[in-house]
Amino acid sequence: MQDYTLGLNEPQKEAVLHTNGPLLIIAGAGAGKTKTLTHRILHLIQNGIPANNILAVTFTNKAAQEMKERVYALLENDQNTNYQKTPFIGTFHSLGIHILRNEHKILGIPSHFTVLDQTDSRNFIKDSVKAKNLDPKQFDPKKIQSIISKQKGECMTAEAFYPISNTGYFPRIVAEVWLDYEKKARKEGAFDFDDLLLKTLMLLKENQSVREKYQDIWRFIHIDEYQDTNTVQYELSRILSGKERNICVVGDADQNIYSWRGANIRNILHFEKDYPGAKVVLLEENYRSTQNILSAANSVIQKNKIRVPKNLFTKSQGGEKISLYEGYDENDEASFVAEKIRDLVKKDVSYQDIAILFRANYQSRAIEEAMLSADIPYQVLGVKFFERKEVKDVLSFLRAALNPDGAIDMKRIINVPPRGIGEVTLKKILAGETESLPATAKKKVLEFKTLLGKIKETALKNKPSDTIKYILKETGMENGLSLGGEEEQERIENLYELVTLATKYDMLPEEEGIQKLLEDAALASDQDSLMHKNDGSRVRLMTVHAAKGLEFGNVFITGLEDGLFPHKSFGESGVSQEHKEEERRLFYVAITRAKKRLFLTYASVRTIFGSRNMTVPSEFLSDIPEELIEAEEGRTKEFGVGKIVYL
């Protein structure tokens, strides 16, 4: 039999070969956690565990796709493995969709329910604010959306929140808007991202037969990035593993950087209390970065107290020193970055192997200007492919065809391209009063509904890519855009890219393929924009939060100033120890994105809110041993432990 443990280090092998009972894998950045997980899944299947009894959950589509491809490659390359079915590998949200769709009859919801993206969800909330005769400018839908999302992440429902919302005027407003929002969403057969998890958890808790069904299906559970789980994800993991306790979680407390969206570091720190007798494996050997970069990361993170002690190392010693540059202001800082990138490219470094990281989104302005001035192609991570108007229009045609109750999609595409259907007519359609319309309007509505019927028929019988082509042609979108100028040409290229992307789902059964396409589109993250070929070879600009899980040969970390990184909100008087530790973890994550070269920069003067302010270098810089640093000539003359000295 082929030895699939060859190529694994001893701790990785130990984790792979552990079969029964709870397992905690503490995996440092770049320590091969995906390799360990995928080989563990292969080991289970080779030892007689049916593949469909294995569940693996992570946080992003990109991470799930990578894990899936690597598992399938291992299975296909192993001649001793005979498998008919496959493990379920996906995100927490795709897991929720899978269960809710399977149990839609029990829940009384449509099988083709709509998944609201953040914009759609906010629009629903805005409608609910207006329905309460409130001003959306005073009662910001985005703020209310954030509060509702956080409460759902803590397993709170609208019905449970209302009785406890009498602590003030604003909480009661949130409670009333939330109830109305839920009512509107249910009427349309729609769920937001948080519902996908909360409704699934509630179903499993309240319905014993459904709970036991999935506990029997998934007897071996794997949770990636466990340090990022919130309360509802923690409870989902626990309830699914409740029977046999064959749960393997992988994570790193040093990379917990999402507390602001509910991630609870205690979930990973308390794993051994939650699962007594759990085996713990520590992965410290790094396969990504040079030793100099790792030494800097270790020096920074060891200052934190809320963590599991570990020390990253690599067998390839040394590496280039870490570059440090002090710019006069943010424009000088950005110009330095652009100049260094041009030097790197002259040394045959690819643009796409370079990333510029920043703590706050507004920092990108000066950097973008420098990139444009230096004629350096770049991409700002965060412009999602699936949020482009023309792409959303096509997907709305598809969703409206499959879920006729989805008013939000109907509103979006009833006049795409223009059909002369006005606001009054639309209101009557949504109210089910089509028969009361004038003959001309009634004819237009009938033609539109006939079109949706044809799209549904096509979607359920044809490949997803062919269905997208059909929508482009039959709706008139393709013809309309082809007659336009440069902007329209770019939009039609995006639609052709959507057709190309849809071919990924052509191998699935027709209805399943369409559902998976819509699911992935709704749950797309910023990182998914890296997966589209239209982005080409460009330097990546992104926040450190968005960079989590990515790696680049050359990384610039900019804005390393007190108040910016570590970050302190404007007007904030003090910073708690927990917040400071999370900021330090964020810097650790930023450092460990780099494989070969790391550049650290800051400005002496930065313009914020139109005001020029003198700055102080980040305290994090003094945590890096001076022997690892090389000051860039002309600005920072000396770097000392615990201080920056200007000469």
Side-chain angles (χ1 to χ4, degrees):
M1 180 180 288
Q2 179 183 352
D3 186 359
Y4 45 84
T5 64
L6 291 174
L8 299 175
N9 62 38
E10 285 306 311
Q12 288 174 335
K13 191 181 297 185
E14 190 180 354
V16 165
L17 298 179
H18 177 82
T19 302
N20 294 302
L23 170 65
L24 169 62
I25 304 174
I26 302 293
K33 67 181 177 68
T34 303
K35 182 177 184 178
T36 305
L37 271 182
T38 53
H39 279 74
R40 186 173 191 275
I41 290 171
L42 173 64
H43 170 73
L44 290 171
I45 294 172
Q46 276 214 347
N47 281 270
I49 304 300
N52 60 309
N53 286 162
I54 299 170
L55 171 69
V57 183
T58 187
F59 276 81
T60 66
N61 286 341
K62 185 176 182 295
Q65 185 61 32
E66 180 188 355
M67 189 183 297
K68 193 178 295 184
E69 288 172 358
R70 289 170 71 168
V71 166
Y72 291 173
L74 285 173
L75 293 174
E76 287 168 7
N77 290 335
D78 193 276
Q79 298 176 353
N80 298 299
T81 303
N82 181 20
Y83 68 100
Q84 300 299 319
K85 297 183 179 180
T86 56
F88 184 103
I89 302 173
T91 63
F92 270 106
H93 292 95
S94 66
L95 173 66
I97 288 176
H98 176 79
I99 294 175
L100 293 176
R101 282 223 167 98
N102 280 354
E103 312 305 329
H104 72 96
K105 290 181 181 177
I106 291 175
L107 292 164
I109 60 175
S111 60
H112 294 288
F113 59 79
T114 298
V115 179
L116 301 172
D117 64 21
Q118 295 285 6
T119 303
D120 293 336
S121 172
R122 196 173 304 140
N123 287 336
F124 263 91
I125 290 172
K126 187 175 182 180
D127 290 343
S128 294
V129 169
K130 290 179 178 177
K132 295 295 176 184
N133 295 316
L134 299 169
D135 183 0
K137 292 181 180 178
Q138 182 180 359
F139 298 95
D140 182 11
K142 187 175 182 179
K143 183 177 181 181
I144 294 174
Q145 180 186 40
S146 177
I147 293 170
I148 292 173
S149 177
K150 189 168 184 179
Q151 291 295 326
K152 286 183 177 181
E154 294 294 326
C155 301
M156 180 68 70
T157 64
E159 293 75 18
F161 182 73
Y162 188 84
I164 62 172
S165 66
N166 56 1
T167 55
Y169 178 64
F170 187 69
R172 179 47 59 105
I173 292 297
V174 171
E176 291 178 356
V177 168
W178 187 357
L179 285 169
D180 188 72
Y181 165 60
E182 291 288 316
K183 185 178 177 182
K184 282 183 167 65
R186 291 302 83 78
K187 183 180 178 183
E188 292 201 19
F191 293 88
D192 63 30
F193 291 171
D194 301 299
D195 288 332
L196 299 177
L197 305 183
L198 182 56
K199 302 298 182 187
T200 301
L201 177 62
M202 291 169 62
L203 173 65
L204 294 175
K205 278 188 171 182
E206 295 167 6
N207 191 308
Q208 182 180 346
S209 62
V210 172
R211 179 172 66 251
E212 290 179 348
K213 170 184 173 182
Y214 290 102
Q215 287 175 338
D216 289 339
I217 291 174
W218 293 315
R219 295 172 44 230
F220 291 85
I221 295 170
H222 304 77
I223 310 294
D224 191 17
E225 303 287 8
Y226 193 66
Q227 79 281 347
D228 291 336
T229 52
N230 62 13
T231 301
V232 71
Q233 290 159 342
Y234 165 82
E235 291 291 345
L236 265 174
S237 306
R238 194 170 70 163
I239 203 167
L240 285 172
S241 63
K243 265 192 176 179
E244 300 188 36
R245 296 173 71 251
N246 290 325
I247 181 171
C248 166
V249 305
V250 186
D252 179 8
D254 290 338
Q255 296 185 69
N256 171 268
I257 59 173
Y258 296 116
S259 67
W260 48 275
R261 69 182 189 196
N264 191 340
I265 194 171
R266 287 168 180 78
N267 291 348
I268 191 166
L269 295 177
H270 292 177
F271 183 82
E272 293 172 84
K273 292 181 181 177
D274 294 333
Y275 299 91
K279 184 178 183 62
V280 181
V281 176
L282 192 61
L283 304 184
E284 296 176 289
E285 184 173 353
N286 179 282
Y287 295 91
R288 176 189 299 160
S289 308
T290 66
Q291 187 59 54
N292 278 351
I293 291 171
L294 296 181
S295 296
N298 288 332
S299 297
V300 166
I301 202 62
Q302 69 181 6
K303 295 289 184 72
N304 276 6
K305 295 178 180 177
I306 308 171
R307 64 188 297 258
V308 177
K310 65 178 185 307
N311 195 59
L312 293 180
F313 69 92
T314 178
K315 288 180 179 176
S316 57
Q317 295 298 310
E320 293 193 24
K321 285 193 173 185
I322 296 166
S323 167
L324 178 68
Y325 181 74
E326 175 206 352
Y328 169 67
D329 59 13
E330 65 268 25
N331 297 315
D332 182 32
E333 176 190 39
S335 295
F336 165 78
V337 172
E339 181 184 323
K340 277 295 175 185
I341 289 173
R342 294 179 73 170
D343 289 344
L344 289 171
V345 172
K346 287 177 185 175
K347 297 174 183 175
D348 292 329
V349 172
S350 168
Y351 284 123
Q352 64 190 10
D353 203 24
I354 302 171
I356 306 172
L357 310 184
F358 36 83
R359 179 62 182 83
N361 279 302
Y362 73 81
Q363 291 174 251
S364 74
R365 181 202 58 79
I367 297 170
E368 288 188 66
E369 287 179 3
M371 295 297 106
L372 290 168
S373 178
D375 199 27
I376 295 171
Y378 69 92
Q379 175 197 9
V380 181
L381 201 65
V383 181
K384 299 178 187 176
F385 176 78
F386 290 113
E387 285 186 355
R388 291 166 175 145
K389 180 187 180 302
E390 59 276 11
V391 174
K392 288 195 76 169
D393 286 346
V394 171
L395 297 177
S396 279
F397 269 108
L398 194 48
R399 295 198 307 187
L402 296 173
N403 180 16
D405 294 328
I408 196 164
D409 292 307
M410 192 78 75
K411 288 177 186 176
R412 183 178 185 91
I413 45 97
I414 200 160
N415 274 311
V416 177
R419 294 184 178 82
I421 296 176
E423 192 73 26
V424 175
T425 302
L426 178 58
K427 285 181 179 178
K428 288 195 173 184
I429 296 170
L430 297 177
E433 299 172 3
T434 307
E435 292 303 315
S436 65
L437 292 170
T440 306
K442 194 184 294 184
K443 184 185 176 196
K444 291 177 181 176
V445 173
L446 179 62
E447 289 173 350
F448 178 71
K449 290 194 171 181
T450 300
L451 172 62
L452 292 182
K454 288 180 178 178
I455 291 173
K456 180 176 182 178
E457 185 179 347
T458 302
L460 298 180
K461 293 182 179 178
N462 293 276
K463 295 176 180 177
S465 61
D466 289 336
T467 300
I468 302 298
K469 290 178 187 175
Y470 181 85
I471 292 173
L472 297 184
K473 181 181 178 182
E474 295 301 316
T475 61
M477 288 181 69
E478 183 176 30
N479 187 52
L481 290 173
S482 65
L483 300 175
E486 186 176 334
E487 184 178 335
E488 285 75 16
Q489 184 59 37
E490 183 180 343
R491 289 170 64 189
I492 203 165
E493 285 175 1
N494 287 333
L495 293 177
Y496 290 159
E497 175 66 10
L498 180 61
V499 174
T500 301
L501 185 137
T503 59
K504 287 198 324 180
Y505 305 88
D506 285 351
M507 65 190 75
L508 298 171
E510 285 75 10
E511 186 172 355
E512 184 183 337
I514 283 293
Q515 284 186 343
K516 193 73 174 70
L517 169 61
L518 290 174
E519 173 189 319
D520 287 352
L523 302 179
S525 68
D526 291 349
Q527 291 187 2
D528 292 313
S529 60
L530 293 175
M531 300 164 69
H532 299 291
K533 67 178 184 182
N534 282 350
D535 295 324
S537 177
R538 305 181 184 189
V539 174
R540 315 297 184 177
L541 277 62
M542 68 192 83
T543 64
V544 182
H545 282 102
K548 176 85 183 322
L550 302 178
E551 58 182 46
F552 300 90
N554 309 271
V555 172
F556 293 81
I557 307 175
T558 62
L560 282 163
E561 300 138 30
D562 184 50
L564 181 53
F565 203 177
H567 192 268
K568 185 168 73 174
S569 298
F570 301 120
E572 190 177 18
S573 57
V575 177
S576 69
Q577 187 60 33
E578 283 193 359
H579 176 78
K580 186 174 284 191
E581 289 214 1
E582 179 153 342
E583 287 292 304
R584 191 178 295 280
R585 292 195 292 269
L586 193 58
F587 186 45
Y588 171 82
V589 166
I591 291 173
T592 54
R593 299 311 94 197
K595 295 194 285 187
K596 296 179 182 177
R597 301 178 189 89
L598 179 62
F599 302 84
L600 308 178
T601 68
Y602 63 96
S604 298
V605 177
R606 188 171 296 274
T607 304
I608 301 175
F609 280 173
S611 175
R612 289 173 70 78
N613 300 282
M614 295 292 292
T615 69
V616 175
S618 170
E619 65 182 86
F620 294 157
L621 290 173
S622 63
D623 295 336
I624 302 174
E626 60 180 315
E627 64 268 17
L628 301 177
I629 293 286
E630 184 173 59
E632 290 288 338
E633 239 177 87
R635 293 291 176 183
T636 307
K637 301 298 184 182
E638 184 180 335
F639 183 82
V641 178
K643 59 182 178 178
I644 301 287
V645 180
Y646 302 92
L647 298 179

